[in-house]
Amino acid sequence: LLFHFDAPRTLLFSHPRSSFDRGACDTMMKDVITMIEDVSFVDVPADVHPLQAGVVRLPPNAPGGLSATLRSASAGMSIILEDGTFYETEPMTICKPGIRISSSSGSSKIFGSFAGTGSLLRVEAKDVLLQDIQFERVLHGDVGDQEAACPDVSCLSIGVDSDVRIEKCTIRAKHAIGIEVCDSSSPTIEACTFEDVSFGIFVGGRAAPNIRRCEFRRCGEAALRLADNASGVFSDNSIADGPAAGVVAGGDSTTTLQGNKVRDTAGCGFLVLDRSTVMAVDNEVRGKHTNGLQCGEQSDATFRNNRIFDSEGSGIVVHDDARGSFFGNEVRGAQMAGVGLRDRTAPLFVGNLVVGGAQSGVVMVGSCAGVFCGNTITGNQSCGVGLKGSVSPLFQGNTITANEGHGVWMQDSVTATFQENTLERNKLAGVSVNNSANPILRKNLIKHGLQVGLLLQDEAGGTYVGNEISHNVSANVAVLGCSRGVLSENIIEGSASGGLLVRGSSMCTIVNNRLAGNGRANLAVLDDSRPHVANNTIVNGDGRGIVVSGTARGKLLNNLVANHSMAGLYVGGDANPHVEGNVICNSERSGLVIEDRAKGRFVGNGFAGNACAAVAIQGKAAPTLTENVIVHEGRGGVWLGEQAQGVVEHNYVEDALLAYRVSALVKTRVCTRVTEARKLLPRLEAAKANVSRPMAGMMMVRDEGSGEQRLAVQVRPPEQAWEQPEESAPSADNVAPDEPVHTVAPKAKVSPRLRLKAPMQNMYRRLLRA
């Protein structure tokens, strides 16, 4: 019992019932003006809830109910609700601090049914506690068939800087809000259950609640709705069986969402909109839902270490000018894109895992951008990464492996940049560039694909620098259609089906690459393609070094072609290339083979150490060979067979078993005289380490002027240079006579007619070094 005087406000008597003495009470109260009558005592064990100052136990049938008690309650009062249902027909407000309302056994229920908007209970004071109570709010009358939510109706509302604690309560408010938190309040809501509400908790008005360990079930709009600069923490909660989103954040909200589990929501797990900058950490989204995480409308949220499983839509969706940062999230088993971006977005993705999707891992469409670093995208049923439209992202240091489609697919006007990524074991192309896409690929590793490593087609462009493209099954690189890409400083090696294939009418540029160890051909130029191929090292192939066929043209300039099991350079079909300044050596067959109806101009090339002829022209081929240098210990120099045509003149042949061999029906115009060269391009010097076959037939002579030993050159006489023709073969009169035998020291004073001009001397010296 507490007895107070108005003045002074002094505690007069406080005594537990166990030692209550009526006589002592009468003595103590003899000066009290107003006597307290009708005092009743309730037996409550002291270890459960001892009666303290300001404690009121309220039965469900108390006159005026809870609302009357709250109207007359003083600050610090504790109200213990007896078991049963408290029916309230008007809104209630707690506006005095320190009030506690709790249930005696957890079976107390406050039921509000009245017309109009507002809350069943509104808290506008500090240090308030609501504990272990069931709250239910319905509109006046039967509203069971009402479908739309009532945004201005709530079961509880918290405002005016309140820091109320709500613990172990159950909130039901069909078609209404469970708890509305606003007006800069900062409540703590813990271990509560929300069922059959529109929004479980609605937070706005700069409120900053701490919501933890709650359960949300069947929330019609969302378990948590954040708006109007909401902040606070939403942690370790469970959200299940919702017909809409789990959490909806908007209105510049900055709430931290941590450790929550969302299961079986028909909408999104987390929907972030309207400039929200929430942070979501260690959350999990499972079961039936559309998109796991969805961000739009200029939001800039941070998602870290979240897990999204089996989305019916996408695991993560970013759209409509949103940004956002995504670190270490795991997206598994999405039925659509694991990550989908569209409409002017520019997020940051770092260290995420996107795995096992029924379609593509990452899809970007529209005009979005963004940065993707250190992500793993693997095991998706379509592409690892699919880009369409005018997107321009940066992908760096990602691992894109074992996808059932392409590793990366680009089309339309994509201008993406990929650098230092690993693309491995993808079922289709490692990278496929289509339409007019114009990406930059730099220092990527594209290997062990089940088809092509790098595929360019249609009118694709792009720059491809410093990549390693190796051991892909169909071919390492295929450039098709009208593509115009630039390939530079790449390593292209180890494909049994071919190194680099150029087809269609491509006009690509291939410079300073290393093509090595590929089967069939290290480089194939087919159809009507016209590539520019310069300064490449093309070596150690299991087939031909370069194949030019179809109606292909283009330029082959200044390349090193060495150590192939078949011809170093093969030109067939109706091809008509320009081949200049190349070194072709150490082929196990002929160095250069020209056949069918091929033409072409072959100027200033060097041939050394090929097992058969340096140059073999056959079929009805009609090339022009001029100013080439052949230093050849193989079986022959220039062989002309079948119905070969064209012009062979002004070439230098040395140390060949047969300088020229001509078959019967050959119509080629042959001039064996060495004349002044017009032009030769400089050639790669350092790459000669790839050529190891020694030169035969060289000898040392003494320079008469200096007395130094120098490498000598031997030009074979005509009677050694010609194979004896068959009876129907053209006679030697059809060609110009060769020079007489001479032994010449390269720097000795010799006849000007025999001295090679500087370009051919350069090629000669390179061959000797080879």
Side-chain angles (χ1 to χ4, degrees), residues 203-258:
V203 185
R206 301 183 182 278
N210 186 349
I211 305 165
R212 58 178 181 260
R213 297 192 296 112
C214 297
E215 294 187 9
F216 297 82
R217 295 191 288 266
R218 300 183 299 279
C219 299
E221 299 293 333
L224 175 67
R225 177 68 165 94
L226 304 170
D228 301 331
N229 299 103
S231 58
V233 178
F234 184 81
S235 63
D236 300 316
N237 301 285
S238 173
I239 301 171
D241 303 323
V247 174
V248 179
D252 297 289
S253 55
T254 60
T255 304
T256 297
L257 313 169
Q258 184 168 2

Side-chain angles (χ1 to χ4, degrees), residues 63-145:
L66 178 60
S67 58
T69 303
L70 291 176
R71 282 195 298 271
S72 61
S74 60
M77 175 178 284
S78 294
I79 302 173
I80 301 174
L81 304 180
E82 297 290 337
D83 292 349
T85 300
F86 294 76
Y87 292 94
E88 303 296 335
T89 58
E90 60 182 359
M92 299 177 290
T93 301
I94 299 176
C95 56
K96 294 181 180 179
I99 291 179
R100 270 72 167 149
I101 304 176
S102 62
S103 172
S104 61
S105 63
S107 299
S108 302
K109 180 177 181 179
I110 301 174
F111 184 89
S113 176
F114 46 85
T117 59
S119 305
L120 171 59
L121 176 63
R122 179 170 175 80
V123 181
E124 297 180 348
K126 289 183 175 296
D127 196 26
V128 173
L129 173 66
L130 304 177
Q131 187 178 57
D132 211 13
I133 306 169
Q134 300 179 43
F135 294 90
E136 185 169 354
R137 166 78 160 96
V138 298
L139 297 180
H140 184 69
D142 183 9
V143 295
D145 58 349

Side-chain angles (χ1 to χ4, degrees), residues 453-688:
L454 172 61
L455 172 63
L456 279 65
Q457 54 189 354
D458 303 324
E459 297 181 357
T463 302
Y464 309 84
V465 180
N467 303 284
E468 181 179 337
I469 308 170
S470 65
H471 300 93
N472 297 284
V473 172
S474 295
N476 278 321
V477 180
V479 184
L480 312 178
C482 301
S483 52
R484 294 173 176 263
V486 176
L487 288 86
S488 176
E489 301 177 11
N490 302 286
I491 297 175
I492 302 170
E493 63 183 11
S495 173
S497 299
L500 198 164
L501 173 64
V502 184
R503 302 201 63 170
S505 55
S506 173
M507 297 178 65
C508 60
T509 299
I510 303 168
V511 294
N512 296 323
N513 302 281
R514 177 180 173 85
L515 291 82
N518 298 287
R520 301 182 67 176
N522 267 322
L523 170 63
V525 181
L526 308 178
D527 300 335
D528 193 36
S529 57
R530 290 168 287 170
H532 180 89
V533 183
N535 300 316
N536 300 282
T537 299
I538 303 172
V539 297
N540 303 332
D542 292 332
R544 297 180 171 114
I546 302 176
V547 172
V548 184
S549 188
T551 57
R553 288 168 284 173
K555 294 182 178 181
L556 306 177
L557 308 175
N558 217 28
N559 302 286
L560 170 65
V561 184
N563 299 338
H564 292 88
S565 61
M566 299 181 69
L569 171 58
Y570 173 88
V571 183
D574 295 298
N576 188 12
H578 180 89
V579 182
E580 183 172 349
N582 303 280
V583 170
I584 303 172
C585 53
N586 275 12
S587 301
E588 295 181 13
R589 302 291 179 84
S590 296
L592 168 61
V593 175
I594 309 170
E595 64 179 10
D596 300 331
R597 297 165 302 280
K599 296 181 176 64
R601 183 169 177 82
F602 302 79
V603 181
N605 302 285
F607 299 86
N610 300 289
C612 296
V615 179
I617 305 173
Q618 52 199 33
K620 294 183 179 181
T624 298
L625 273 75
T626 182
E627 301 171 5
N628 299 284
V629 176
I630 300 172
V631 179
H632 218 253
E633 81 281 20
R635 290 166 55 189
V638 179
W639 292 0
L640 306 170
E642 298 178 356
Q643 301 179 46
Q645 304 174 42
V647 177
V648 177
E649 61 181 3
H650 306 159
N651 301 288
Y652 180 79
V653 181
E654 172 187 307
D655 191 36
L657 180 63
L658 291 173
Y660 293 85
R661 188 179 73 177
V662 183
S663 296
L665 301 179
V666 169
K667 299 180 181 179
T668 306
R669 181 166 66 87
V670 180
C671 175
T672 64
R673 187 182 304 277
V674 178
T675 63
E676 294 183 2
R678 292 179 296 107
K679 182 180 180 183
L680 280 176
L681 297 177
R683 186 62 189 98
L684 294 173
E685 300 289 345
K688 301 306 183 294

Side-chain angles (χ1 to χ4, degrees), residues 80-356:
I80 301 174
L81 304 180
E82 297 290 337
D83 292 349
T85 300
F86 294 76
Y87 292 94
E88 303 296 335
T89 58
E90 60 182 359
M92 299 177 290
T93 301
I94 299 176
C95 56
K96 294 181 180 179
I99 291 179
R100 270 72 167 149
I101 304 176
S102 62
S103 172
S104 61
S105 63
S107 299
S108 302
K109 180 177 181 179
I110 301 174
F111 184 89
S113 176
F114 46 85
T117 59
S119 305
L120 171 59
L121 176 63
R122 179 170 175 80
V123 181
E124 297 180 348
K126 289 183 175 296
D127 196 26
V128 173
L129 173 66
L130 304 177
Q131 187 178 57
D132 211 13
I133 306 169
Q134 300 179 43
F135 294 90
E136 185 169 354
R137 166 78 160 96
V138 298
L139 297 180
H140 184 69
D142 183 9
V143 295
D145 58 349
Q146 182 173 326
E147 297 296 333
C150 300
D152 297 325
V153 178
S154 61
C155 193
L156 304 177
S157 66
I158 303 166
V160 194
D161 300 319
S162 174
D163 60 355
V164 59
R165 291 181 61 86
I166 304 175
E167 298 177 354
K168 301 179 182 179
C169 295
T170 299
I171 313 295
R172 298 182 183 93
K174 192 170 185 179
H175 310 302
I177 298 169
I179 299 179
E180 183 178 8
V181 185
C182 55
D183 297 332
S184 301
S185 59
S186 55
T188 297
I189 303 171
E190 184 172 0
C192 295
T193 299
F194 296 80
E195 296 178 335
D196 301 311
V197 294
S198 60
F199 295 106
I201 301 175
F202 187 99
V203 185
R206 301 183 182 278
N210 186 349
I211 305 165
R212 58 178 181 260
R213 297 192 296 112
C214 297
E215 294 187 9
F216 297 82
R217 295 191 288 266
R218 300 183 299 279
C219 299
E221 299 293 333
L224 175 67
R225 177 68 165 94
L226 304 170
D228 301 331
N229 299 103
S231 58
V233 178
F234 184 81
S235 63
D236 300 316
N237 301 285
S238 173
I239 301 171
D241 303 323
V247 174
V248 179
D252 297 289
S253 55
T254 60
T255 304
T256 297
L257 313 169
Q258 184 168 2
N260 303 287
K261 294 184 178 181
V262 180
R263 178 176 57 84
D264 294 328
T265 57
C268 301
F270 293 86
L271 177 60
V272 183
L273 306 168
D274 191 21
R275 302 179 305 281
S276 173
T277 57
V278 297
M279 175 179 288
V281 181
D282 293 323
N283 301 285
E284 182 177 285
V285 181
R286 286 182 178 271
K288 182 179 179 181
H289 61 278
T290 305
N291 301 320
L293 310 177
Q294 181 171 336
C295 305
E297 298 176 6
Q298 300 180 359
S299 62
D300 192 8
T302 299
F303 292 89
R304 188 184 298 274
N305 299 333
N306 301 283
R307 299 169 302 283
I308 302 101
F309 299 102
D310 304 321
S311 303
E312 293 183 350
S314 296
I316 299 174
V317 175
V318 188
H319 61 93
D320 291 325
D321 300 290
R323 295 184 180 274
S325 301
F326 300 80
F327 302 96
N329 301 286
E330 180 180 346
V331 179
R332 286 184 178 270
Q335 295 300 303
M336 299 182 69
V339 176
L341 279 68
R342 58 183 172 86
D343 304 332
R344 304 172 304 281
T345 61
L348 170 64
F349 280 80
V350 178
N352 301 281
L353 173 64
V354 183
V355 60

Side-chain angles (χ1 to χ4, degrees), residues 367-427:
S367 58
C368 53
V371 176
F372 292 76
C373 295
N375 304 285
T376 298
I377 304 167
T378 183
N380 299 285
Q381 294 299 306
S382 186
C383 303
V385 176
L387 308 179
K388 178 180 172 63
S390 55
V391 302
S392 56
L394 167 64
F395 283 79
Q396 180 167 347
N398 302 282
T399 300
I400 304 171
T401 64
N403 297 286
E404 292 296 310
H406 304 280
V408 175
W409 168 274
M410 289 178 270
Q411 68 181 71
D412 299 335
S413 302
V414 171
T415 56
T417 298
F418 286 80
Q419 57 191 30
E420 300 175 357
N421 302 284
T422 297
L423 297 101
E424 188 174 8
R425 302 192 317 278
N426 295 289
K427 195 166 186 179

